[in-house]
Amino acid sequence: MEMITDQFIFDWNDLFKAFLSLGAGFLLGFEREWKDKSAGFKTISIICLGSTLFSILSMKLGAGESEDATRIASYVVSGIGFLGAGVIFKDGVNVNGLTTASIIWMSAAVGMAIGFGMFITAIIFLGACFSIIISGPILNRYVLRNLVKVVTVKFDSHQLSGKEDFIEDIRPLTKQLKIKNQTLNKEGLVLVLEVLIDKGNIRSFENRIMAHHSISEVSL
C-alpha cells in the first residue's frame, strides 16, 4: 500500500515536463498559426501537453514488476490518428492538411518523449522537425522549382477544332503535359490537363491560356 501511495506524491519533475511540453507544442504550432491553418499553436500545444500527461500517468499507474508502464501511452499513438485525419481534406484533385497532420503526429511523439523523461531525445527531434518546417518553403522556392498543376478548359461546340492548337500553344511553357480526361457533350468539350511547369513560368503560362481565343472557360 505504501508503494502505491508513493506513486501519487507530487513530483516537481512533472512540472518541468509540463512547461517543456508546452514550449515544444508552441514551437511546433507557431508556423501553422502564422499560416492560419486549421490547427495552430493552441491546438498543437494542448496535444503535446496531453501526450506528456498520458505518458506520466502511464509510468505512475503502470509501475510494478508485472505491469506494462507503456500501456496507457501506447493508445496515444493510435488515438492521435483521429485528430490528424480530421485536418486532412480533399479539394478537387488537391489534398490539403497533410503537413498539419504530420505536425500533430510529431507533437504527440515529442510530448510522449518528454513525459517519459527522454529530454535530450525530445529536444533533438523537436529541433529536426522545426528545421524542416522552416527550411521547407525556402527549398521549395529556390531549389524545387517544379510544380504540378491541373488545368481544366472548356471548348464550345463550334470551337472543337481549336483543341490541338491550344495544346501545341501551351506545350512550350511546360516540362510535361498529359491529358487526364476529356468529356464531350452537346455544349462542347471539357479537357482536363496535368502539367509539370517551372514556377518561374506560371504567370506566362496562365496568361497564354487566358489569351487563347478557342476556350470559353478555364479553371487553374
Side-chain angles (χ1 to χ4, degrees):
M1 183 70 178
E2 183 179 353
M3 182 184 67
I4 297 176
T5 304
D6 291 341
Q7 297 171 9
F8 298 96
I9 296 177
F10 177 75
D11 187 355
W12 285 101
N13 192 40
D14 294 342
L15 185 61
F16 172 72
K17 291 179 180 179
F19 281 111
L20 184 59
S21 176
L22 194 62
F26 183 88
L27 190 62
L28 286 173
F30 177 78
E31 185 264 352
R32 295 288 90 187
E33 186 75 22
W34 182 53
K35 291 187 175 180
D36 197 24
K37 299 297 182 179
S38 54
F41 67 85
K42 291 183 292 184
T43 302
I44 294 177
S45 296
I46 292 173
I47 291 172
C48 191
L49 196 63
S51 300
T52 300
L53 178 58
F54 276 121
S55 300
I56 293 173
L57 292 176
S58 186
M59 286 196 304
K60 291 182 179 293
L61 299 178
E65 296 181 358
S66 61
E67 300 292 343
D68 182 7
T70 62
R71 62 185 181 182
I72 297 177
S74 63
Y75 288 98
V76 176
V77 179
S78 58
I80 203 68
F82 290 98
L83 288 174
V87 299
I88 299 175
F89 60 95
K90 187 175 182 182
D91 183 15
V93 296
N94 299 316
V95 178
N96 299 314
L98 289 175
T99 301
T100 302
S102 300
I103 293 176
I104 288 175
W105 180 61
M106 187 64 188
S107 68
V110 170
M112 291 178 65
I114 294 172
F116 282 118
M118 303 172 64
F119 303 125
I120 302 300
T121 301
I123 292 173
I124 291 173
F125 280 85
L126 174 63
C129 182
F130 192 71
S131 65
I132 293 173
I133 294 173
I134 296 300
S135 63
I138 299 174
L139 291 173
N140 192 43
R141 177 176 296 180
Y142 297 106
V143 179
L144 306 175
R145 295 186 57 82
N146 291 338
L147 179 68
V148 177
K149 289 185 67 70
V150 175
V151 181
T152 303
V153 294
K154 180 181 178 181
F155 299 88
D156 289 337
S157 56
H158 63 281
Q159 293 284 2
L160 297 182
S161 60
K163 169 193 164 185
E164 297 299 329
D165 291 337
F166 170 75
I167 293 177
E168 292 304 317
D169 195 22
I170 65 172
R171 189 184 296 275
L173 295 175
T174 68
K175 294 185 176 181
Q176 186 177 358
L177 187 150
K178 294 181 180 179
I179 298 177
K180 302 294 291 185
N181 188 35
Q182 298 184 75
T183 303
L184 180 64
N185 53 40
K186 294 181 179 179
E187 296 180 356
L189 173 67
V190 177
L191 187 66
V192 180
L193 304 173
E194 182 182 85
V195 297
L196 179 66
I197 187 171
D198 188 290
K199 291 182 179 180
N201 291 334
I202 290 179
R203 185 59 59 88
S204 299
F205 177 76
E206 293 177 347
N207 291 338
R208 182 74 60 87
I209 292 177
M210 298 300 295
H212 209 277
H213 65 279
S214 62
I215 61 174
S216 57
E217 294 182 16
V218 59
S219 175
L220 297 172

